[in-house]
Amino acid sequence: MEPTRHVKLFKNGRNQAVRIPREFELPGEDAVMHKEGNRLIIEPAAPRSLLTLLATLPALDEDFAPIEDLPPDDVAL
């Protein structure tokens, strides 16, 4: 059986909050929360990849100067 612990709810501004006891501490700095019936489920958020982050950024609408594509230098062996 999973451990249980009685905790207090409190207000933090206009939000309701609960302190998570050390034995239930989640890794990282982000979590995902959802409800299943009367249960409130809090899970660690999956790490975001760089590609996922880049996809959220707005597209650049700028003209960049062309870059001259020079052949590579000879490599001495």
Side-chain angles (χ1 to χ4, degrees), residues 25-28 30-33 42-47:
E25 192 171 290
L26 298 172
D30 293 311
V32 177
M33 181 185 304
I42 304 172
E43 301 173 311

Side-chain angles (χ1 to χ4, degrees), residues 3-8 18-26:
T4 54
R5 181 154 171 197
H6 191 253
V7 295
K8 295 280 188 183
V18 60
R19 292 198 195 283
I20 299 175
R22 186 173 301 276
E23 63 264 26
F24 296 108
E25 192 171 290
L26 298 172

